[in-house]
Amino acid sequence: MLTINPLKSRLRRNEPVYGLLNSVPGPWLAEMIGRAGYDFVILDMEHLLVSEETLRHSLQAVLSTGCTPLVRVPDGDAKRIGRLLDAGARGIVLPQVDSAATVADAIAACRFPPLGRRGITGGPITGFGTLGLDDYIHLANDNILVVPMIESRAGVEALPGILAQEGVDMVLEGALDLALDLGLGPHPQAPEVTTLIADMAARCRDAGVPFCANPRSPEQLAHWREAGITAWLAGEDRGYLFRALQQRLAEVRQAG
């Protein structure tokens, strides 16, 4: 059943929040991330062929831990966004954003009238009717998050208009795709990329919208801490799992 979103509450109070991208689909790992103490987990639909049924179970598993589940959608399809929110997603991450209009449409898909165009249903999200529809609509409109990802030069140029939209809760950078879009190859720490992301963070600060940093080196981590960043993406589970498996194998081989 929908309740107050702890992630959105912490963002409003400018308290530190830490998240992880879940790119190995399944409820067990999604729940594990929540149990590990992360404030939010981003379940990925952009790059994964994951069924909505698997995603529904993952959402419920994350919610059982007190962690906030977000879903990175492949696009702004309003019907899909509505189904995800009905299934328990507490917000969406919108990739490859390059215009304020795209964000405005996504916000409308996440909000009930008169603030948006989301269609309403009952079921588990309302506690099968134990949460009145008036209260549900108010909670949903106040607690669902919309997080655009800026991953191109067009997105950087559109950022002022994006930040002016009522209902943008956090901005996430996509340094690797930004580097590719700039013709720099797969180099997310290239100087031009670093400069644009620093400008992105400054624009978010000036607009009063949290910027979520994704540090890729100890130097970047130190830089963002010094800059006062409080929202953090700690990378993705796939890379950490792979390296942990490699390390454990190496340890056992060396012991033999």
Side-chain angles (χ1 to χ4, degrees):
M1 186 170 70
L2 185 65
T3 57
I4 291 173
N5 188 329
L7 174 60
K8 192 157 186 173
S9 297
R10 291 180 68 88
L11 288 171
R12 285 170 170 167
R13 296 191 298 264
N14 197 35
E15 295 177 357
V17 295
Y18 302 91
L20 194 70
L21 177 63
N22 172 225
S23 58
V24 180
W28 279 22
L29 183 52
E31 181 177 349
M32 194 184 303
I33 294 168
R35 298 288 178 198
Y38 287 90
D39 298 290
F40 66 97
V41 56
I42 302 174
L43 307 174
D44 193 21
M45 288 187 77
E46 182 190 13
H47 293 294
L48 300 179
L49 294 173
V50 55
S51 72
E52 292 187 2
E53 186 68 12
T54 296
L55 201 59
R56 184 179 71 83
H57 289 304
S58 295
L59 288 167
Q60 296 305 312
V62 175
L63 287 167
S64 72
T65 70
C67 179
T68 297
L70 310 176
V71 178
R72 182 164 70 174
V73 293
D75 52 47
D77 181 82
K79 293 297 185 182
R80 180 190 293 112
I81 289 172
R83 289 195 302 274
L84 292 169
L85 299 180
D86 292 340
R90 295 304 192 250
I92 63 162
V93 175
L94 193 65
Q96 299 287 347
V97 169
D98 59 9
S99 73
T102 299
V103 177
D105 287 342
I107 293 170
C110 292
R111 302 286 188 269
F112 291 115
L115 302 181
R117 300 188 297 272
R118 181 182 170 190
I120 195 166
T121 187
I125 197 68
T126 65
F128 297 97
T130 57
L131 177 62
L133 290 182
D134 286 336
D135 291 335
Y136 169 55
I137 289 170
H138 174 75
L139 272 172
N141 282 347
D142 194 48
N143 283 276
I144 299 301
L145 290 108
V146 176
V147 181
M149 288 190 73
I150 307 301
E151 305 180 82
S152 66
R153 185 183 295 278
V156 173
E157 293 172 350
L159 186 58
I162 291 168
L163 293 171
Q165 299 291 319
E166 183 69 30
V168 173
D169 297 289
M170 185 168 69
V171 169
L172 184 59
E173 54 97 337
L176 181 56
D177 278 308
L178 179 57
L180 292 172
D181 183 73
L182 295 172
L184 302 174
H187 303 292
Q189 297 186 60
E192 185 176 354
V193 176
T194 300
T195 298
L196 286 175
I197 290 178
D199 180 67
M200 191 187 307
R203 288 180 180 274
C204 289
R205 182 194 63 232
D206 293 343
V209 176
F211 172 78
C212 185
N214 182 9
R216 294 167 175 82
S217 68
E219 293 76 19
Q220 283 190 345
L221 180 59
H223 167 77
W224 289 125
R225 287 208 179 278
E226 186 176 343
I229 292 297
T230 57
W232 302 88
L233 186 69
E236 64 176 303
D237 54 10
R238 180 176 57 201
Y240 296 130
L241 287 169
F242 182 70
R243 287 190 291 274
L245 292 169
Q246 281 186 314
Q247 180 180 348
R248 181 57 181 159
L249 177 58
E251 291 171 349
V252 173
R253 281 175 169 167
Q254 289 172 2

